[in-house]
Amino acid sequence: MIEVETYRQVAERTAGRVITEVIAPDDWYLKGGATAAAVRTAVTGRAVRGSRRIGKLLLLDTDGPTLGLRFGMTGRLLVDGRGPIEKLEYSSGRDDPTWVRFGLRFTDGGELRLVDPRRLGAVVLDPGVDHLGTDALSVTPAQLRKALAASRAPLKAWLLDQGRVAGLGNLLVDEILWRAGLDPARPARSLDPAEVKGLHRQVIGTVRRLMERGGSHTGDLQVARVRGATCPRDGAALQRRTIGGRTTYSCPLHQR
Ligand SMILES: [Zn+2]
């Protein structure tokens, strides 16, 4: 979500501009039943109102329909040829024209381009958002406490579930739990009120901090995501497990 938030800021540069042309060379990239012709008909001549983000989904609102943009692992957004100021780790600096999966041209001559080498992202017309939970940056301590209490899922899997809290990916969740001192395998409902409070503080704090640093790969635990590594906080040998289907690093000493 950190990367997507930086793309939302990039997308905001298109606010107020009028769409004159839709670039959709890859029908496979359009999801949810959309076709190039349908998207063209729906948004050509429309003005961009602004951008929003829910979890990892970027929403580009027009005075007609809304476009939903997903970036997968390797997608990035350029407006008038420029991306975010910071270069992100998973993006490639090379500009191969065949990687442009979607784009919009505006009446002022500028353009928006979604570049995605691995083709893991998607574009959806009027995406439904009911399946998404509250965005991680908006969730309140009370919401978190109530939702955690209703689940016996491991904390790690719970936080990755986009239908509960939207926006947290694998690296981010490991960093949050490491900072909060919580074992990723703990059942969600086993947290006491003080632990929920600490978790909430770290969800918000970690996202904000890594956003400033420039991406979800800039966490303190990141350097220790290798076999045989030790905890940057206390030097204990880190544990590597698969929880919620994802590789999980944690410290058996201070994460309880
Ligand atoms: Zn530790």
Side-chain angles (χ1 to χ4, degrees):
M1 72 173 286
I2 290 174
E3 285 74 12
V4 180
E5 177 58 25
T6 66
Y7 296 138
R8 191 199 61 73
Q9 291 164 12
V10 171
E12 199 57 32
R13 296 178 201 149
T14 67
R17 300 202 215 175
V18 175
I19 299 164
T20 183
E21 191 184 340
V22 173
I23 306 156
D26 189 353
D27 257 326
W28 186 85
Y29 207 77
L30 304 171
K31 297 284 155 64
T35 61
V39 175
R40 210 162 272 137
T41 304
V43 303
T44 304
R46 296 292 186 177
V48 177
R49 281 214 166 125
S51 58
R52 292 175 289 144
R53 181 190 56 76
I54 304 175
K56 301 173 187 177
L57 176 67
L58 174 64
L59 298 164
L60 195 67
D61 293 317
T62 74
D63 56 3
T66 293
L67 287 168
L69 273 52
R70 291 196 172 278
F71 296 91
M73 291 288 287
T74 57
R76 61 201 172 97
L77 194 73
L78 302 174
V79 168
D80 304 331
R82 289 186 302 129
I85 294 160
E86 298 271 354
K87 194 170 161 294
L88 298 164
E89 190 185 19
Y90 296 117
S91 65
S92 166
R94 273 204 302 146
D95 207 9
D96 185 328
T98 65
W99 292 344
V100 177
R101 309 297 176 187
F102 185 78
L104 299 171
R105 286 206 177 92
F106 303 104
T107 47
D108 65 1
E111 62 172 32
L112 170 150
R113 274 185 294 165
L114 202 172
V115 180
D116 185 358
R118 284 178 62 188
R119 234 171 151 224
L120 296 169
V123 172
V124 186
L125 194 59
D126 280 328
V129 295
D130 293 347
H131 64 289
L132 292 170
T134 308
D135 185 77
L137 279 181
S138 315
V139 74
T140 66
Q143 282 174 326
L144 192 62
R145 186 170 57 243
K146 195 175 166 210
L148 284 166
S151 173
R152 66 184 76 195
L155 260 185
K156 168 84 186 250
W158 195 93
L159 289 167
L160 284 174
D161 184 343
Q162 302 298 305
R164 287 176 162 135
V165 175
L168 305 178
N170 195 42
L171 301 180
L172 205 44
V173 170
D174 278 6
E175 179 79 13
I176 287 166
L177 293 174
W178 178 78
R179 288 174 175 236
L182 293 167
D183 181 349
R186 284 259 307 265
R189 67 179 186 189
S190 72
L191 269 61
D192 66 30
E195 288 174 324
V196 174
K197 217 172 151 187
L199 176 61
H200 180 263
R201 196 165 51 233
Q202 289 304 343
V203 166
I204 308 285
T206 305
V207 169
R208 292 240 165 93
R209 175 62 62 86
L210 302 199
M211 215 174 257
E212 285 167 13
R213 290 186 189 171
S216 51
H217 62 283
T218 60
D220 294 339
L221 190 62
Q222 187 63 24
V223 291
R225 295 187 70 87
V226 289
R227 282 179 196 274
T230 56
C231 176
R233 182 179 293 183
D234 52 42
L238 288 179
Q239 225 175 343
R240 182 183 187 274
R241 290 174 288 180
T242 300
I243 302 175
R246 306 297 300 273
T247 300
T248 301
Y249 285 89
S250 63
C251 172
L253 188 60
H254 87 268
Q255 288 181 254
R256 296 303 182 96

